Amino acid sequence: MSAAVDFRTCPLCEATCGLRVELDGREVRSVRGDPDDVFSHGFICPKGASLAELHADPDRLTTPLVRRGGELVEAGWDEAFEVIEAGLAPILADGDRNAVGAYLGNPNAHTLDGAIHLRALLKGLGSRNIYSASSVDQLPKQIAVGLMFGAGLAVPIPDVDRTEHLLVLGANPLASNGSLLTAPDLRGRLRRLRERGGRLVVVDPRRSRTAELADEHHFIRPARDAHLLAAIGHTVLTEGLADPGRLAGLSSGLDTIAELLAPFSPEAVAPDCGIAAPEIRRMARELAAAPRAAVYARIGTTTQEFGTLASWLVDVLNVITGNLDRPGGAMFPLAAAGQSNAAGEPGRGRGVRLGRWSSRVRGLAESFGELPVACLAEEIETPGEGRIRALLTVAGNPVVSTPNAARMRAALSSLEFMVSIDCYVNETTSLADVILPVPSPLERSHYDLAFYQLSVRNVANFSPPALPLRDGMVEEWRTMLRLLGVVTGQGPDADTDAIDDLIALEAARRETVTAGSPATGMEPEAVLAKLGDRRGPERVLDLLLRCGPYGAGLNGGRGGGDEVALSLGALERAPHGIDLGPLQPRLPEMLRTPSGKIELCPEPITADLERLQASLGCTNGDMVLIGRRHLRSNNSWLHNLPHLVRGADRCTMHVSPADAARLGLDDGARARVASRAGAVEIPVEVTDAIMDGVISIPHGWGHDAEGNRLRVAAEHSGVNSNLLADETVVDPLSGNAVLNGIPVEVAPA
Ligand code: SF4
């Protein structure tokens, strides 16, 4: 068979790089960057290049597994669904929908099935016990922007390509390739920022790869970012440097910010941050003086005890310096499909609704339909009405990814029934009663519904499947709909086409009642009829594209002349994607707050400043633990690919030379690290790239769990840093787990 070339978007991280995949039948000959991709222009990282290994990985599941005699053994799809029906139906028959919970992993944000049909499955499940990786990641940012701008994905994105001053906290985009910031080749973009005379300032307890590239780097004590941001805001306001410009008229609460930040002078926070007050003042002055500047913060600032406050303060600074919503500042993307603040009446909305219910045991608040995963284990363990007796996991590995991993593993082991949709038998799915496999990334279509909403440039790119499904494989959305049949009492043989029609009809109905949509006023059935005979998530995507801000409409009549007229068909004819241009100012149109203003001082957030003030002068421990990322890791799930784990052991503990000498730790020897939650032993790496009083251990490792079927990963096991994370400590506003700034004791092993 001759070679074929497929152009597709990499589904592995937020950067959405274009790939050029050379295929020989079902074999992948090569994966390279697509030089013609309108967004990534040929950039590729080692993870993208490993797509061939992922496709060919012999440990990747291609058939369902069911537990028989204690062992997971291969089974047919019908048999697997009979076991699921037998496991779930009696629990649901007891009448408590909350008895079946769900945990959703990060990869769901990267698939159409996870974005569209999984939602329908969760709705059918009707449980309040929904958890996801969001609450060990970005949830505080979503809550902050939800309260400020009215939508949970209304995250201001640093306009990296045009800014002249970028202040980065707790983020390492050279390793992560961008997070809540979709931008291929961030190394190149940041290098160009400096080449045009711009300034890159990085604040991090580690001198990360991004910090090495920066003009200046400041060590900061973990979990003291909110203190620093408040002091920068204090300086800007007290020194008369604030210049919000047109944002003043678009914001409410601007007048009270100075009073709220009054306790946080640079002199007050300097001892906590470990940054001298004059340095903080200089950082503030330079930020305010830059003609175009942006503040950007990520995981080090969200997975910590002041996560929501820090996330809020980032955008307070962007507002008071006048940099929000202007080129070179922090801007709002306008995605082609599925963006809640691009549909309906512009400039006003009902805002976000948080805390509609609380967790049963600890009373942690719901947000965006989910409860914080820090309370999942106790919701399984604690008897009483509403206890989780069965769990569905979809592309999730909570045993590695969530706090107090040992307790989580024990809790999952105690479930009456567990079913997982996943591509591997890993630390979590090895505990399931049934595992349902998913197609290879090359056997499924791809469109980044979520990440184009966080993109540094407006872009749309659709990838049809490169290969037909292998024999015996089932599209993931059909698997989800069969599960939906089970949890809604239709049984395992429910008609998935009929359910799919209902999902598409509901999406069409929503468009018919959305102001400004080309479907407004039409009958939903008539809308569907316009979409032809597509099925599954692609049909809904076509609808969203047609009715979106660049849409072709439903009659193909919109967008004449030079205007872009998007539909799925149009994207199919553009294999390198369609560039929709640089970000444009979107205020006030993008606001969805009830007031129609930027809510600069949301009460739940400003009330928490008291806690921030109370922490002044309080240490969070003699030694504290933070995480770290690596370019060749992607949370817990790509360590079975030889290309990504070769080379020196990456799962080591970084410690400063002074701390190593003080604690008797030798480079290359092993250390014992203990916290309230647990203890691990890990090789020591002494480096001056970490500040005194801090150790760093990467997350996503610990692949030596019993039952794993990850042969390569097992040889590079590493240790699970979440054995140390304390599930009882959360950011109170979001319930997000505290994974940075964990007090630990460190000694030679
Ligand atoms: S940066 Fe992300 S999207 Fe780009 S090739 Fe690497 S993993 Fe794929």
Side-chain angles (χ1 to χ4, degrees), residues 10-17 19 43-49 176-177 184:
C10 176
L12 297 178
C13 93
E14 296 182 31
T16 72
C17 300
L19 304 179
F43 176 81
I44 187 172
C45 86
K47 287 196 287 282
S176 68
N177 286 316

Side-chain angles (χ1 to χ4, degrees), residues 497-549:
D497 279 342
I499 303 175
D500 180 50
D501 285 340
L502 288 176
I503 291 170
L505 195 65
E506 171 58 17
R509 188 200 60 75
R510 279 198 299 270
E511 286 296 338
T512 64
V513 295
T514 298
S517 169
T520 309
M522 292 174 68
E523 290 299 320
E525 291 79 4
V527 174
L528 274 202
K530 300 280 186 186
L531 300 177
D533 54 6
R534 292 185 195 273
R535 285 224 153 266
E538 289 181 16
R539 173 164 50 171
V540 178
L541 174 62
D542 190 24
L543 173 70
L544 297 175
L545 286 166
R546 286 171 178 277
C547 297

Side-chain angles (χ1 to χ4, degrees), residues 328-348:
M331 302 193 74
F332 297 101
L334 181 62
Q339 190 166 15
S340 65
N341 66 13
E345 189 190 341
R348 191 179 290 271

Side-chain angles (χ1 to χ4, degrees), residues 437-741:
V438 295
S440 154
L442 298 176
E443 295 169 343
R444 60 200 304 168
S445 54
H446 183 84
Y447 182 89
D448 280 294
L449 265 178
F451 298 115
Y452 290 140
Q453 300 182 43
L454 302 165
S455 178
V456 78
R457 199 172 167 89
N458 293 318
V459 171
N461 202 338
F462 173 75
S463 314
L467 293 169
L469 290 174
R470 61 180 291 151
D471 285 348
M473 183 50 72
V474 172
E475 291 147 310
E476 187 175 9
W477 63 268
R478 285 197 187 275
T479 300
M480 290 170 173
L481 296 194
R482 273 190 96 172
L483 277 171
L484 177 59
V486 171
V487 300
T488 52
Q490 301 172 66
D493 299 318
D495 182 345
T496 53
D497 279 342
I499 303 175
D500 180 50
D501 285 340
L502 288 176
I503 291 170
L505 195 65
E506 171 58 17
R509 188 200 60 75
R510 279 198 299 270
E511 286 296 338
T512 64
V513 295
T514 298
S517 169
T520 309
M522 292 174 68
E523 290 299 320
E525 291 79 4
V527 174
L528 274 202
K530 300 280 186 186
L531 300 177
D533 54 6
R534 292 185 195 273
R535 285 224 153 266
E538 289 181 16
R539 173 164 50 171
V540 178
L541 174 62
D542 190 24
L543 173 70
L544 297 175
L545 286 166
R546 286 171 178 277
C547 297
Y550 314 90
L554 292 163
N555 297 311
R558 220 164 85 164
D562 290 340
E563 272 182 51
V564 194
L566 288 190
S567 64
L568 198 49
L571 290 183
E572 283 169 332
R573 292 188 291 277
H576 309 291
I578 293 180
D579 180 28
L580 302 167
L583 304 188
Q584 304 290 337
R586 285 196 60 199
L587 283 173
E589 154 273 310
M590 56 71 59
L591 292 172
R592 291 296 181 273
T593 52
S595 63
K597 299 266 188 188
I598 299 169
E599 292 292 344
L600 211 50
C601 298
E603 195 277 332
I605 297 181
T606 53
D608 201 32
L609 282 167
E610 208 173 297
R611 190 172 59 94
L612 192 72
Q613 190 177 354
S615 74
L616 289 172
C618 302
T619 169
N620 50 3
D622 175 44
M623 293 297 295
V624 293
L625 169 67
I626 62 169
R628 91 178 172 262
R629 292 190 72 143
H630 194 282
L631 183 61
R632 284 185 289 133
S633 281
N634 190 353
N635 300 322
S636 69
W637 80 281
L638 291 182
H639 291 151
N640 207 48
L641 308 183
H643 181 70
L644 295 182
V645 289
R646 70 185 178 201
D649 186 2
R650 304 206 299 271
C651 189
T652 59
M653 182 194 85
H654 285 185
V655 63
S656 75
D659 284 330
R662 182 170 62 88
L663 298 167
L665 302 168
D666 293 326
D667 191 59
R670 292 178 76 77
R672 182 178 191 277
V673 185
S675 71
R676 189 209 68 84
V680 301
E681 289 191 9
I682 184 167
V684 173
E685 200 174 335
V686 180
T687 168
D688 65 4
I690 194 158
M691 74 187 295
D692 293 343
V694 183
I695 60 165
S696 160
I697 299 177
H699 75 281
W701 297 88
H703 302 300
D704 53 354
E706 192 185 332
N708 267 15
R709 297 185 189 172
L710 298 165
R711 282 169 286 190
V712 175
E715 289 170 17
H716 304 264
S717 165
V719 302
N720 183 349
S721 65
N722 274 316
L723 290 165
L724 298 167
D726 187 341
E727 80 286 14
T728 65
V729 184
V730 297
D731 166 39
L733 282 176
S734 61
N736 203 90
V738 170
L739 307 179
N740 283 286

